[in-house]
Amino acid sequence: MADLPESTVLASDYFQSYSVVGLLALIGVLFVAVAFGAGRLLRPVVPTPEKLLTYECGVDPVGEGWAHTQVRYYVYAFLYVIFAVDSIFLFPWATVFAGPGYGATTLVEMFIFLGFLAVGLLYAWKKGVLEWT
């Protein structure tokens, strides 16, 4: 490699890093394929009418396939996700806020962020979304 230019050596090292990643990805795909193939070969296959019946949460599928779902469950889940994301953003903010030179700027930015969340929460409260009836 002494007579190769330096850029060729750097490119070779660069692509060697990707070859390691590609090899690990290939090993992962092969592992999954072998596991699924072994499961398919080793499992017993005895189809019965009960096994071929549609199964939904332990309840036999009878009646109409359309069911109404309460939207409020999704609203509570959405509110949880919003506040979980809020808490995820608070931890890095606390570490940056402690650093020198970031105090006032990060404090203002965080209050703007919390203001947006508070406006959304007030909107949901005014619409009556947070009432469980």
Side-chain angles (χ1 to χ4, degrees):
M1 291 194 125
D3 48 334
L4 291 175
E6 185 178 341
S7 63
T8 307
V9 173
L10 290 176
S12 173
D13 291 341
Y14 178 77
F15 287 118
Q16 184 178 4
S17 310
Y18 276 111
S19 65
V20 170
V21 171
L23 181 65
L24 285 174
L26 181 67
I27 289 172
V29 168
L30 285 175
F31 180 77
V32 170
V34 168
F36 275 114
R40 187 178 195 108
L41 290 174
L42 297 175
R43 72 175 176 224
V45 180
V46 184
T48 61
E50 289 81 20
K51 287 183 181 178
L52 297 176
L53 187 67
T54 303
Y55 181 76
E56 181 75 29
C57 299
V59 179
D60 288 332
V62 293
E64 190 177 319
W66 183 260
H68 293 284
T69 304
Q70 295 290 334
V71 175
R72 64 177 161 224
Y73 301 122
Y74 296 109
V75 172
Y76 281 104
F78 187 64
L79 287 172
Y80 169 76
V81 169
I82 288 173
F83 287 108
V85 169
D86 179 32
S87 65
I88 288 171
F89 282 126
L90 284 176
F91 288 112
W93 170 75
T95 58
V96 169
F97 185 70
Y102 291 106
T105 305
T106 56
L107 186 64
V108 169
E109 288 174 353
M110 186 48 65
F111 276 120
I112 291 172
F113 177 69
L114 290 175
F116 281 125
L117 287 177
V119 167
L121 184 61
L122 285 173
Y123 176 77
W125 179 59
K126 289 284 188 183
K127 286 289 193 178
V129 172
L130 302 177
E131 294 175 12
W132 191 274
T133 56

